Amino acid sequence: MTPAIELAGIDKSFGAVHANRSVDLAVMPGSIHGIVGENGAGKSTLMSILYGFYEADAGEIRIGGKPVSIRSPADAIGHGIGMVHQHFMLVEPLTVLENVMLGAEGGALLKGGAGKARAELTRLSEAYGLAIDPDAVVGDLSVGLQQRVEILKALYRGAEILILDEPTAVLTPPEADALFALLAQLKAQGRTVIFITHKLREIMAITDRVSVMRRGEMVATLPTADTSPPALAELMVGRRVLLRVEKAPRAPGPPVLEAVGLDVVDAHGVKRLSDVSLTVHAGEIVGIAGVAGNGQSELLEVLAGLVQPSRGAIKVGGDLLPPHRRHPARLRELGLLHVPEDRLRMGLVPSFPAFESAALGFTGDPAFARKAPLGALFDRDAMVGHARALMDGFDVRPPDPWLRSSKFSGGNQQKLVLAREIERRPKVLLVGQPTRGVDIGAIEFIHRRLIALRDAGVGILLVSVELDEIMGLSDRILAMCGGRITGERRADATDAQDLGLLMGGVSEAA
Amino acid sequence: MDLQSLAVILDSALRLSVPLLCACLAGLWSEKSGVVDIGLEGKMLIAAFAAATGAHASGSALIGLMAGIGASVAFSLVHGFASISQRGNQIVSGVAINMLAAGLSAIVGNAWYGQGGRSPALEGQARFNDITLWGTETIAAVPVFGPLFREVVSGHALPAYLAFAAVPLTWFVLARTRFGLRLRAVGEKPAAVDTAGISVPLLRYAAVTICGVLCGIGGAYLAVAQAAAFLPNMTAGKGFIALAALIFAKWRAWPALGACLLFGLLDAGAIRLQGASLPVIGTVPVQAIQALPYVLTVILLAGFIGRAVPPAASGIPYVKER
């Protein structure tokens, strides 16, 4: 059978970064083809080349056996390729109909094309069970519905080959299941789907074949039935990886962090947290499961003292905190430390050398000050030495305290932030998205350190959008939806299905 | 106030609002496409200079208008090249254009005409004459409306009518055409336009060109219709007031007309109030009256208009990821 798409010897460099090295790929028509790889392995670059977003330095693209030249997205669309980008390519203030029509308006005046577009949109919606209001403003739609618009956009343009880049990152498990059902339906119609992800579970669940990329190279293409998650992980990283975290049961100690009835209202007057209560005990990891944007960020911020609750009480180490003590510096003194979700925005200063980033939040530490005059000057040697010690302890590479923070890879930046907080011996640690944008090798390391910290008696509150991470690390799991806690489960007595329902807002009480 | 003085004030308000309206719509086109333009002032000024020079040299107001538009579009394309192709800072480029226009027009004007930067006075066909709209005399018989129509609506120069015609045209093109849809999209999310297979730079260049044409009309109106010569710095901040009007109008064409008419009315009122004695306060200093439109601008922008959200991508050069 002729492959629907063949990429031969695709090569692409961005300056010194060799993003794709002579990549070959053949995708069979009417199949779902998965592409996995770590961050920066070159998956998105490869797909952007196929979609005409970038031009390859060398190599050939063949569609249905014929060599084609794809120099712009317009060419790709003309060849029947549609792409659902990880960050949606939707214009938020415009309506669904306008977004679908953009670039395929069917005439200089909108009036002519709009009627036809509306009819076609209705037909597609019905054919695929993708109900949507054509006149809704896209910015008002949920993320799941926005993705639906993206897919409809591609189908409207007659895409025979659909590329999806990390499509499940923003979806609840039930939404992801609905997406998978849709992909299966497209496949049954003979369309070809290319599915990029880093979640091995999804690869196993829906793909026919899977290709693995590592450092810009295509290292393997296998029938999915002949492989397994550990085998794929090994191919991705290039060595054996422990996917499951080893964790011994441990009896939790006394409560170290308690929140009672927290409400948070944002600057626009919108309620972000409603009546959130939780307790974290010493020697326990409490995971917060939820789809991004359901109040987890606000929860971390309010507990870290970055925003003030409009109602509710917070206790640290059993002491009720009056408002003036709910301040990041006071909380640090009490042993409540915070590894923020967005390391580049809140965790470190990208333009600072690593040793300065490694001292953030602790710049008042006498160990960093010269004795004379009056401790007003920094002792830079002490700071560099401190950073070097952190780097050794957490295997930060390269171990160069003078390197700009932005020059480290995501995983190494994260290890640096984590090292800075953990070395201060917290009693309570708030951790947000500890492995976002972090490669598999570093994920394993970070997970082991968090478990070690728990075993040492620290209470950890873990917020992550990666359900596998939450289930693997936590002792107890709280699910959040729409700023509320919708349920609590013991980690050993739940599964993705169950949590997915809670994350989707199906409350306990129901 | 009798009908006659009301008509005079309204007529004067309309005249004063023309350059504002041109600049405001010009800014609307540019910002809707994602290019912030604080160089409206400079473009109008250079257009005024080119229009006066062209009209003087050729003896034709129409050729003056063309020259004004040409100069303004050329400056627009410089701004476009800096902010679209070179992805430079749009504010810096706009400031540069304002300074360039102010300096260039004064120095070249002085070198050519030796009148301290003024151009020679325009006379006869070198000036736009007021047009009496067809049917004015018939309508004039209608009580109240008739005379108002004759005094206020009729009797303006060609560029003024072009400016007012640009309002419905702008609305229609943006709301109802393919080009308009793409332009609105590119100012909000250029990546979406790019992935739909449409050229982002082409759309933005088209928008800044339209912006140049409108500033050209505004500048030509100033020098060849409202006044009869180019005077150094004759735009006097109108390009900046237009930006305020644009925010006030929340980047929409019809409200832009309303905002510009309001500013024009304030200006006209200020002129009328000069030297007049008001009850209770007595004679108000001229400077205080002249400051009124600016004070109003500050007050309006300080939050009396609710949230004005600019196009999301305005001011941000489009760079593909990486």
Side-chain angles (χ1 to χ4, degrees):
Chain A
M1 196 165 30
T2 322
I5 289 183
E6 257 183 299
L7 301 175
I10 298 288
D11 221 272
K12 177 74 181 170
S13 297
F14 296 97
V17 181
H18 207 160
N20 283 162
R21 295 166 195 262
S22 186
V23 172
D24 297 323
L25 175 69
V27 179
M28 292 300 153
S31 72
I32 301 181
H33 195 113
I35 298 182
V36 287
E38 297 195 71
N39 291 293
K43 300 167 293 188
S44 291
T45 303
L46 188 66
M47 289 304 116
S48 293
I49 288 170
L50 179 55
Y51 192 63
F53 216 52
Y54 303 133
E55 250 186 279
D57 300 334
E60 191 176 64
I61 301 175
R62 288 189 282 270
I63 292 180
K66 283 193 286 288
V68 293
S69 144
I70 298 181
R71 320 185 99 228
S72 74
D75 291 341
I77 294 166
H79 287 297
I81 300 174
M83 183 155 177
V84 175
H85 297 260
Q86 185 177 5
H87 304 289
F88 300 148
M89 295 299 171
L90 296 172
V91 187
E92 297 197 348
L94 300 187
T95 64
V96 171
L97 189 66
E98 285 174 319
N99 267 286
V100 169
M101 286 176 74
L102 183 67
E105 295 90 346
L109 294 184
L110 294 179
K111 214 174 176 183
K116 247 185 285 172
R118 188 180 292 272
E120 175 67 5
L121 196 57
T122 312
R123 192 189 67 75
L124 286 170
S125 303
E126 281 167 8
Y128 295 100
L130 301 172
I132 197 126
D133 171 11
D135 297 311
V137 172
V138 164
D140 297 341
L141 299 177
S142 71
V143 181
L145 282 177
Q146 291 190 4
Q147 187 176 65
R148 187 173 284 192
V149 178
E150 277 280 70
I151 294 172
L152 283 167
K153 228 169 89 177
L155 295 176
Y156 179 75
R157 286 162 170 70
E160 286 298 317
I161 299 155
L162 193 63
I163 306 167
L164 297 115
D165 190 359
E166 301 273 1
T168 57
V170 293
L171 302 181
T172 60
E175 282 173 328
D177 288 342
L179 174 69
F180 294 162
L182 171 68
L183 297 184
Q185 194 183 348
L186 291 173
K187 172 183 152 184
Q189 290 177 347
R191 296 188 208 236
T192 309
V193 176
I194 300 180
F195 186 88
I196 302 173
T197 186
H198 65 272
K199 295 182 185 169
L200 300 176
R201 189 162 38 83
E202 295 173 354
I203 289 289
M204 300 311 294
I206 64 159
T207 63
D208 300 305
R209 291 166 68 78
V210 53
S211 295
V212 185
M213 290 190 76
R214 183 170 75 225
R215 294 185 186 180
E217 288 178 80
M218 190 62 83
V219 291
T221 296
L222 309 156
T224 309
D226 296 352
T227 185
S228 65
L232 286 176
E234 195 175 331
L235 283 169
M236 279 164 69
V237 186
R239 62 177 172 83
R240 274 190 56 98
V241 188
L242 243 73
L243 285 182
R244 274 216 66 82
V245 202
E246 306 279 338
K247 177 176 90 182
R250 190 186 189 287
V256 285
L257 173 67
E258 290 162 88
V260 186
L262 292 179
D263 281 4
V264 168
V265 178
D266 72 8
H268 302 293
V270 178
K271 209 168 188 186
R272 294 291 174 183
L273 285 187
S274 318
D275 195 24
V276 169
S277 300
L278 58 84
T279 306
V280 180
H281 299 89
E284 177 189 48
I285 298 182
V286 176
I288 304 287
V291 179
N294 275 284
Q296 306 97 308
S297 306
E298 289 78 3
L299 178 62
L300 279 180
E301 286 176 1
V302 72
L303 292 176
L306 295 169
V307 299
Q308 294 301 323
S310 55
R311 203 174 63 84
I314 299 173
K315 285 187 194 177
V316 173
D319 294 334
L320 186 65
L321 296 187
H324 69 273
R325 286 178 67 199
R326 295 188 210 127
H327 180 277
R330 301 286 88 73
L331 289 166
R332 280 175 187 282
E333 288 162 12
L334 292 173
L336 183 143
L337 302 184
H338 179 202
V339 177
E341 288 183 306
D342 187 342
R343 57 182 168 268
L344 288 176
R345 204 167 61 82
M346 293 173 80
L348 36 76
V349 180
S351 58
F352 277 13
F355 76 86
E356 287 183 353
S357 279
L360 291 176
F362 306 100
T363 44
D365 185 339
F368 292 152
R370 287 178 190 279
K371 298 293 166 282
L374 303 168
L377 296 180
F378 276 133
D379 179 351
R380 203 155 63 184
D381 292 341
M383 292 170 77
V384 171
H386 166 252
R388 193 162 276 136
L390 292 184
M391 289 173 146
D392 286 347
F394 278 75
D395 191 30
V396 177
R397 277 176 279 183
D400 176 4
W402 286 92
L403 193 67
R404 258 175 195 240
S405 306
S406 60
K407 299 278 183 195
F408 291 88
S409 73
N412 285 302
Q413 289 170 349
Q414 190 69 318
K415 284 194 275 188
L416 188 64
V417 175
L418 211 60
R420 179 182 76 204
E421 303 298 327
I422 289 179
E423 287 303 301
R424 294 285 158 175
R425 312 209 164 280
K427 295 191 178 73
V428 190
L429 187 67
L430 309 176
V431 190
Q433 317 297 349
T435 57
R436 174 144 72 194
V438 169
D439 47 61
I440 288 197
I443 290 177
E444 188 190 359
F445 180 88
I446 290 170
H447 284 176
R448 274 195 279 120
R449 293 308 287 244
L450 288 175
I451 295 289
L453 206 61
R454 157 205 182 250
D455 292 341
V458 177
I460 300 177
L461 185 76
L462 171 72
V463 168
S464 173
V465 291
E466 299 289 343
L467 203 48
D468 290 342
E469 179 167 82
I470 292 284
M471 294 199 297
L473 291 181
S474 310
D475 297 299
R476 268 190 307 131
I477 300 172
L478 303 174
M480 280 188 81
C481 180
R484 292 175 178 280
I485 290 188
T486 48
E488 176 177 342
R489 294 283 187 274
R490 287 199 54 81
D492 49 18
T494 185
D495 55 30
Q497 204 72 32
D498 178 36
L499 287 174
L501 287 175
L502 294 176
M503 286 158 63
V506 180
S507 192
E508 287 278 65
Chain B
M1 194 188 291
D2 59 299
L3 193 63
Q4 185 57 33
S5 25
L6 177 70
V8 168
I9 289 193
L10 288 181
D11 180 54
S12 155
L14 226 63
R15 284 169 197 277
L16 290 165
S17 68
V18 169
L20 281 179
L21 183 60
C22 287
C24 188
L25 291 176
L28 190 151
W29 278 95
S30 186
E31 294 207 3
K32 272 285 179 189
S33 82
V35 180
V36 165
D37 194 349
I38 63 160
L40 299 172
E41 173 86 0
K43 283 202 277 280
M44 271 211 293
L45 191 62
I46 203 71
F49 177 72
T53 310
H56 174 69
S58 68
S60 154
L62 216 54
I63 289 183
L65 174 64
M66 293 301 153
I69 289 177
S72 171
V73 167
F75 270 52
S76 270
L77 292 177
V78 170
H79 183 58
F81 181 70
S83 43
I84 304 167
S85 299
Q86 297 300 317
R87 304 185 188 110
N89 185 307
Q90 302 174 7
I91 301 296
V92 172
S93 163
V95 169
I97 279 180
N98 285 336
M99 299 199 318
L100 187 66
L104 205 62
S105 58
I107 288 178
V108 174
N110 203 29
W112 285 355
Y113 305 117
Q115 299 180 5
R118 283 164 158 268
S119 75
L122 301 172
E123 287 161 353
Q125 289 304 307
R127 244 194 112 190
F128 279 110
N129 295 307
D130 294 348
I131 300 168
T132 305
L133 290 182
W134 181 79
T136 301
E137 291 314 315
T138 327
I139 298 170
V142 181
V144 186
F145 177 74
L148 273 182
F149 185 86
R150 188 180 60 207
E151 298 298 325
V152 181
V153 180
S154 177
H156 293 280
L158 174 70
Y161 290 115
L162 289 180
F164 289 111
V167 175
L169 203 64
T170 296
W171 168 79
F172 180 80
V173 172
L174 283 177
R176 295 293 169 86
T177 68
R178 174 174 61 192
F179 175 63
L181 174 66
R182 293 178 173 188
L183 201 89
R184 281 183 285 144
V186 83
E188 292 288 346
K189 191 149 188 183
V193 171
D194 196 3
T195 52
I198 308 162
S199 164
V200 173
L202 221 58
L203 274 172
R204 289 189 164 171
Y205 271 112
V208 298
T209 304
I210 295 172
C211 166
V213 170
L214 285 164
C215 282
I217 296 174
Y221 179 80
L222 278 175
V224 187
Q226 203 172 55
F230 173 79
L231 310 171
N233 194 29
M234 76 185 303
T235 45
K238 290 194 172 61
F240 296 110
I241 298 272
L243 282 179
L246 181 59
I247 299 172
F248 186 28
K250 301 184 181 172
W251 294 268
R252 292 169 302 175
W254 287 109
L257 174 65
C260 291
L261 285 176
L262 177 65
F263 282 117
L265 187 66
L266 277 172
D267 244 353
I271 292 170
R272 180 128 180 117
L273 282 176
Q274 279 176 24
S277 184
L278 291 180
V280 187
I281 21 180
T283 310
V284 183
V286 177
Q287 289 83 352
I289 304 258
Q290 282 174 338
L292 257 184
Y294 302 91
V295 171
L296 181 81
T297 305
V298 170
I299 293 173
L300 287 178
L301 293 187
F304 273 82
I305 54 167
R307 267 174 72 77
V309 185
S314 72
I316 305 165
Y318 176 57
V319 189
K320 289 186 184 189
E321 299 153 76
R322 255 184 213 267

